[in-house]
């Protein structure tokens, strides 16, 4: 995904992916991360975590009432 990407296999068959980006690229990372649904977790930076949380809150609001 990114030239600075480092993949680390974790003992429980999870994968930790780390890479360096600019703050301006965070929205693109949010879109990429959201593709994995509940199979991925943003850990840092805190702003990335907040952007993911915000996007999920917006998405949940779309489903908070039955369609008419």
């Amino acid at each position: 995904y990114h030239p600075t990407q480092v993949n680390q296999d974790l003992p429980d068959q999870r994968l930790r992916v780390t890479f360096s980006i600019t703050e301006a690229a965070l929205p693109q990372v949010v879109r990429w991360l959201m593709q994995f649904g509940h199979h991925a977790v943003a850990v840092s930076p805190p702003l990335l975590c907040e952007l993911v949380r915000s996007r999920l809150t917006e998405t949940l609001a779309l489903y908070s009432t039955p369609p008419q």
Side-chain angles (χ1 to χ4, degrees), residues 16-46:
R16 176 177 289 139
V17 179
T18 58
F19 48 89
S20 299
I21 58 163
T22 64
E23 189 173 308
L26 286 176
Q28 181 180 355
V29 175
V30 170
R31 288 189 298 275
W32 174 74
L33 189 61
M34 297 290 291
Q35 295 179 85
F36 300 100
H38 69 280
H39 298 288
V41 177
V43 177
S44 70

Side-chain angles (χ1 to χ4, degrees), residues 2-27:
H2 195 272
T4 65
Q5 179 173 327
V6 176
N7 295 338
Q8 178 186 7
D9 291 318
L10 300 176
D12 57 359
Q13 297 186 326
R14 292 182 302 151
L15 177 67
R16 176 177 289 139
V17 179
T18 58
F19 48 89
S20 299
I21 58 163
T22 64
E23 189 173 308
L26 286 176

